[in-house]
């Protein structure tokens, strides 16, 4: 069962409170694994991969481990990290915020962030990307999923949460297509 924590002391930003629901949903989902496997084909055999916001490791780290990669997972939720450790006892995992992870003292052939970047403030994203770049081995690859509801089809009325199986109504327009001069663009 997920543990409740106070907002001021919760490094997971609320994810620990819903960890059990998240684990149950991800156990049933393979969303992202095809993209991750295709990306990983460009890495050397046995490559070291840092999984930022790894959650319980299912299904992303699981797919990479099954392909023979050495995984280092980072998540700020104690419940999710405990589930990761239980499922993958040989993998390296740390319970800490991705942006301040001790794993950035090492280098990696690949870094992956599925469902993390859009949760971070813009200045934290920029700082994290700089840390990722510094931790990449020459020729290293970075893959992140940007599945924020702001990036859904303009004019759509609903935001679908495929992880927690919710649906939310938009509160206003987020994407504007085109400008006053008729230039084609998308702007937040």
């Amino acid at each position: 069962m997920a543990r409740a924590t106070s907002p001021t002391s919760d490094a997971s930003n609320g994810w620990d409170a819903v960890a059990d629901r998240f684990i149950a949903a991800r156990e049933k989902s393979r969303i992202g694994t095809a993209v991750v496997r295709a990306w990983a084909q460009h890495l050397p055999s046995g490559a070291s991969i840092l999984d930022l916001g790894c959650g319980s490791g299912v299904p992303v780290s699981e797919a990479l481990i099954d392909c023979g990669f050495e995984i280092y997972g980072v998540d700020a939720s104690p419940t999710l990290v405990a589930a990761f450790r239980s499922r993958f006892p040989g993998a390296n995992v740390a319970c800490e915020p991705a942006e301040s992870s001790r794993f950035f003292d090492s280098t990696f052939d690949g870094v992956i962030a599925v469902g993390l970047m859009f949760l971070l403030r813009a200045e934290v994203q920029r700082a994290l990307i700089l840390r990722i770049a510094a931790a990449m081995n020459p020729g290293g690859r970075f893959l992140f999923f940007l599945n924020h509801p702001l990036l859904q089809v303009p004019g759509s009325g609903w935001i679908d949460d495929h992880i927690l199986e919710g649906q939310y109504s938009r509160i206003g327009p987020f994407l504007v297509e085109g400008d006053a001069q008729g230039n084609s663009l998308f702007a937040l």
Side-chain angles (χ1 to χ4, degrees):
M1 183 174 291
R3 290 175 233 119
T5 57
S6 80
T8 57
S9 67
D10 182 12
S12 77
N13 294 313
W15 283 96
D16 204 51
V18 296
D20 291 331
R21 287 178 49 208
F22 182 78
I23 291 168
R26 284 305 268 163
E27 289 282 334
K28 296 183 272 184
S29 173
R30 293 293 165 231
I31 292 173
T33 56
V35 172
V36 168
R37 286 179 192 273
W39 168 81
Q41 289 177 358
H42 300 281
L43 296 171
S45 178
S48 61
I49 300 173
L50 177 59
D51 185 352
L52 298 172
C54 66
S56 67
V58 177
V60 174
S61 286
E62 178 180 56
L64 294 168
I65 289 168
D66 289 348
C67 290
F69 296 109
E70 183 179 9
I71 301 301
Y72 294 79
V74 176
D75 202 286
S77 163
T79 303
L80 293 173
V81 168
F84 188 104
R85 280 191 181 115
S86 175
R87 184 173 290 259
F88 311 108
N92 299 292
V93 64
C95 185
E96 57 197 12
E99 58 269 27
S100 59
S101 176
R102 64 184 167 88
F103 286 138
F104 284 115
D105 294 337
S106 302
T107 59
F108 301 91
D109 300 306
V111 178
I112 190 164
V114 175
L116 171 69
M117 298 300 284
F118 71 90
L119 298 172
L120 304 174
R121 294 182 323 276
E123 63 273 10
V124 176
Q125 290 176 7
R126 282 189 288 278
L128 183 57
I129 288 170
L130 291 173
R131 293 196 79 196
I132 290 166
M136 299 285 270
N137 288 329
R141 300 176 70 86
F142 176 42
L143 174 68
F144 66 96
F145 289 20
L146 196 63
N147 53 345
H148 194 282
L150 296 180
L151 300 175
Q152 289 192 356
V153 177
S156 67
W158 293 96
I159 299 167
D160 295 315
D161 183 335
H162 299 284
I163 302 300
L164 298 177
E165 299 176 355
Q167 195 174 55
Y168 311 95
S169 176
R170 288 185 183 273
I171 58 171
F174 295 106
L175 290 175
V176 178
E177 187 174 359
D179 62 11
Q181 290 74 40
N183 297 314
S184 179
L185 58 92
F186 287 97
L188 295 175

